[in-house]
Amino acid sequence: MLITRQHTKVLIVGAGPSGLMMAAQLLRHGVQPIIIDSKQGPTDQSKALAVQARSLEIYRQMGIVDRVLANGKQAGGVVFNEDGKVLAELSLANTGKGETKYPFIHLYQQSKNERLLLDFLTLNCCPVYWDTNLLSVKQTAERAEVQLQSGTETVILICDWLIGADGAHSVVRKQLLIPFNGDTYAHEFYLADVELDNQQLTGEQVQLYLSKKGFAGFFPMPEQNCYRVIGNLPEGVEPREDLQIEEVLPHLNSVANMDMKVVHIKWFTTYRLHHRMADRFRQQRCFLVGDAAHIHSPVGGQGMNTGLQDAYNLAWKLAGVVNGQLKEAILETYAAERMPVAKGLLNTTDAVFKVVMSTGWLNMLLKKWIMPSLLKFVWNKENLRNIFFRRVSQIFINYRHSAISLHLSHTKIVKAGDRLPYLKVFDEKKQEETDLHEWCAKPGFTLIVLGKLQEIDLFTLAKWITQNYGVNLNFFYLPPSAKNEEVFKTFEVKEGKKKALIIRPDMHIGLINDVVAIDMMDNYLNNVVGLAKIG
């Protein structure tokens, strides 16, 4: 047996979407990680289907969103059915118009997300070490020591930091003895990716079927006539490894009240759903992200997207610490910001899932007579429809109570900790349209000043940035103009007044100040965030 001893700044265990995003974001911020996975290679199973607007915004910042849009498709709507009759039909077209550049739910399989991120890693010369198992983890306050097995080779790896992105059965979490509290739902489910020859399905809408006999859902995939089909196993059918789709088709046809003709089966499996959350997202030098930290029902297509955002939140902070640009204390904000998000998501998906799966007479009455009317009422109200989209798309998530959110402003609509609103901007100098998110495309923090400044003030600001923060602080200035009224209105900048915004690398607002004061911005960056000055 060959034993070698090596060192790395960051080891990522798990090359699913969360681990790959973690690696990609570290690379963007100048840190080369090592990433391993016990699998033989990337998944060829579709798994998660929905990519929400917030994830698309991240992909855009990375410069790879065009590929996602080209190889996926928008969900046209959701139709609720009972015993073959339509209860409610909700269109998803442009539901979030004006809220984001991507006002829709995008269907793009997890396998494609993984390939996309793997290509990003390859372009940045960061390989994934497949067929590599984590055997043990030991850590101190200064480092983590892991033992890895790859073939006949055993590697002792000394890590400055370790990321557990190794899924619901996380070896990292188990090695750290972190409790994974929650429960397993009683129902057994099947999942199939199939090509259908069926005229009753449009290929554009998600079709959900509710019945006393159970539940079934048809989710259109980007490929023609292809669907993700999910449902509960009928009574008397056991979840065997050799179970075939033909054994559940009669029950599926009965629930959906149609005659399903399967042309080709790409994937068929059975599973049980869990809702669990780790007691801690950090332990000394180790962090948990994605399914290693939290798992829940697939209601609303939130799982993969939440894992991507975990990585997006942690990566810039960790890269800043590794590069000596940020104080280590900022790492405490990862769990403080992400654990409430995960907990809220668990509670929401659990409640919805229980209603959908309940076959009690009261719930069946609710689903047949009350829910359709309620859904139609909500969907006809633009503000309520907007609230729904903001939650599902994950653009509503904020870190207002974070230790690195500083609100020194009278603004009530947008506050420090919020995701930076998607607002179009007209560049008077270049005579072209852009948007605030485009201004935040580069790694690092972004200072945006709204309001009229004198030339000497602009010069002083630019000099302060150059001498103290350099490329770690990008600067944009927007004076008042007729074409940019919406920006000033959103941030409640009154005539003759100014506003200073410092945007974090993950496009959340760190600071909002009603005055443009260098000493206050310097205090925020240096003392609140812990960003080191250059030189």
Side-chain angles (χ1 to χ4, degrees):
M1 181 186 292
L2 178 63
I3 299 179
T4 60
R5 193 176 181 90
Q6 301 175 24
H7 172 267
T8 185
K9 291 179 178 178
V10 182
L11 171 66
I12 301 169
V13 181
S18 302
L20 293 170
M21 177 60 82
M22 187 76 205
Q25 290 296 325
L26 287 173
L27 289 165
R28 283 189 71 240
H29 294 286
V31 173
Q32 189 86 13
I34 289 178
I35 179 169
I36 67 166
D37 199 292
S38 59
K39 299 193 300 290
Q40 300 296 313
T43 184
D44 58 358
Q45 298 167 345
S46 61
K47 297 189 176 180
L49 273 185
V51 179
Q52 304 294 354
R54 187 65 179 128
S55 298
L56 292 172
E57 291 175 353
I58 297 171
Y59 283 146
R60 182 192 183 202
Q61 191 186 43
M62 296 169 68
I64 55 177
V65 73
D66 288 348
R67 182 170 156 188
V68 181
L69 297 175
N71 294 307
K73 70 187 293 185
Q74 294 181 30
V78 181
V79 182
F80 293 85
N81 305 270
E82 185 187 37
D83 296 327
K85 295 179 181 179
V86 175
L87 296 178
E89 186 171 347
L90 312 177
S91 172
L92 292 174
N94 290 318
T95 311
K97 189 175 182 180
E99 295 284 346
T100 173
K101 189 177 177 68
Y102 311 105
F104 46 80
I105 296 174
H106 196 63
L107 302 174
Y108 185 77
Q109 299 97 312
Q110 179 176 321
S111 53
K112 292 182 180 180
N113 282 273
E114 291 185 15
R115 292 285 181 181
L116 176 82
L117 291 166
L118 278 167
D119 287 350
F120 186 93
L121 265 59
T122 300
L123 288 172
N124 287 275
C125 304
C126 180
V128 173
Y129 295 92
W130 300 104
D131 195 22
T132 303
N133 292 282
L134 175 70
L135 301 181
S136 65
V137 179
K138 298 177 183 177
Q139 62 172 332
T140 65
E142 289 78 33
R143 68 183 191 178
E145 181 179 307
V146 302
Q147 187 174 355
L148 308 176
Q149 184 79 43
S150 181
T152 59
E153 183 179 10
T154 299
V155 179
I156 304 297
L157 196 59
I158 307 301
C159 317
D160 294 341
W161 303 96
L162 172 63
I163 311 298
D166 48 342
H169 302 289
S170 171
V171 177
V172 174
R173 188 188 64 243
K174 291 175 182 177
Q175 284 283 321
L176 298 175
L177 302 178
I178 296 176
F180 201 39
N181 295 318
D183 206 353
T184 301
Y185 292 108
H187 306 85
E188 297 278 0
F189 293 88
Y190 62 85
L191 179 154
D193 285 349
V194 294
E195 181 183 347
L196 298 177
D197 178 15
N198 195 292
Q199 301 301 316
Q200 290 176 263
L201 300 172
T202 65
E204 301 297 327
Q205 296 168 308
V206 175
Q207 296 279 352
L208 302 178
Y209 293 88
L210 312 173
S211 166
K212 290 180 181 178
K213 303 165 189 172
F215 163 81
F218 293 79
F219 298 81
M221 299 173 79
E223 293 72 28
Q224 189 172 8
N225 299 325
C226 291
Y227 293 85
R228 157 74 51 79
V229 183
I230 62 172
N232 63 296
L233 283 180
E235 288 185 18
V237 177
E238 296 297 322
R240 312 183 315 271
E241 282 190 18
D242 62 345
L243 186 69
Q244 302 296 312
I245 193 171
E246 288 77 15
E247 296 179 66
V248 301
L249 268 179
H251 180 259
L252 174 62
N253 285 329
S254 176
V255 171
N257 196 27
M258 66 173 74
D259 183 19
M260 206 67 54
K261 295 180 176 64
V262 178
V263 176
H264 177 64
I265 305 167
K266 297 183 179 181
W267 183 33
F268 180 77
T269 188
T270 61
Y271 62 100
R272 294 185 75 180
L273 292 172
H274 307 263
H275 50 114
R276 300 180 185 275
M277 179 171 155
D279 268 11
R280 300 179 295 280
F281 284 12
R282 179 191 182 183
Q283 188 163 303
Q284 291 181 291
R285 313 297 284 187
C286 301
F287 297 87
L288 300 176
V289 299
D291 286 356
H294 46 79
I295 55 172
H296 45 82
S297 87
V299 170
Q302 302 293 288
M304 179 181 69
N305 295 276
T306 304
L308 294 176
Q309 284 207 55
D310 286 346
Y312 188 52
N313 180 289
L314 176 59
W316 68 268
K317 299 169 182 177
L318 185 59
V321 172
V322 170
N323 291 329
Q325 297 165 345
L326 291 170
K327 294 176 183 176
E328 196 173 311
I330 198 168
L331 297 176
E332 295 297 324
T333 67
Y334 165 64
E337 291 179 350
R338 295 303 297 170
M339 286 187 78
V341 172
K343 187 175 182 180
L345 187 60
L346 279 166
N347 291 338
T348 303
T349 54
D350 183 49
V352 174
F353 181 80
K354 286 177 178 176
V355 170
V356 170
M357 291 308 302
S358 173
T359 55
W361 69 269
L362 187 60
N363 264 307
M364 291 306 297
L365 188 68
L366 170 74
K367 286 186 278 189
K368 184 172 184 177
W369 301 108
I370 300 174
M371 190 178 74
S373 298
L374 184 62
L375 285 171
K376 290 174 185 176
F377 172 79
V378 169
W379 216 247
N380 286 329
K381 302 290 182 181
E382 186 177 354
N383 61 324
L384 296 178
R385 194 168 64 240
N386 214 30
I387 290 170
F388 166 83
F389 177 81
R390 287 177 61 80
R391 291 193 70 87
V392 169
S393 67
Q394 301 195 347
I395 64 175
F396 84 102
I397 292 170
N398 71 75
Y399 309 128
R400 290 184 178 184
H401 300 295
S402 174
I404 54 172
S405 297
L406 186 57
H407 193 73
L408 304 175
S409 173
H410 292 99
T411 58
K412 296 178 181 178
I413 302 170
V414 181
K415 294 188 176 183
D418 291 354
R419 156 193 166 272
L420 179 68
Y422 173 74
L423 293 166
K424 293 183 179 179
V425 176
F426 186 76
D427 189 323
E428 300 282 3
K429 190 172 286 187
K430 294 182 179 179
Q431 289 293 298
E432 62 183 26
E433 190 177 81
T434 180
D435 59 78
L436 293 184
H437 286 194
E438 182 66 26
W439 281 2
C440 299
K442 292 181 179 178
F445 289 80
T446 303
L447 169 61
I448 299 175
V449 173
L450 306 175
K452 181 65 177 176
L453 293 183
Q454 300 299 317
E455 287 293 328
I456 185 62
D457 297 325
L458 282 170
F459 175 78
T460 303
L461 267 178
K463 183 179 178 182
W464 166 68
I465 292 169
T466 303
Q467 292 180 343
N468 292 278
Y469 299 105
V471 295
N472 294 324
L473 182 60
N474 306 298
F475 175 46
F476 290 89
Y477 166 57
L478 188 67
S481 70
K483 292 187 177 180
N484 291 314
E485 283 183 3
E486 188 62 28
V487 179
F488 282 76
K489 180 182 177 182
T490 299
F491 289 102
E492 301 172 57
V493 185
K494 296 179 181 179
E495 189 174 349
K497 300 295 183 180
K498 306 175 186 67
K499 199 84 67 175
L501 314 172
I502 294 182
I503 315 304
R504 302 169 11 164
D506 58 1
M507 288 194 294
H508 279 264
I509 302 168
L511 167 73
I512 302 183
N513 198 346
D514 286 342
V515 295
V516 183
I518 286 177
D519 58 340
M520 296 173 80
M521 293 186 289
D522 201 55
N523 175 68
Y524 171 76
L525 290 169
N526 200 231
N527 297 322
V528 177
V529 175
L531 183 63
K533 294 185 178 182
I534 60 177

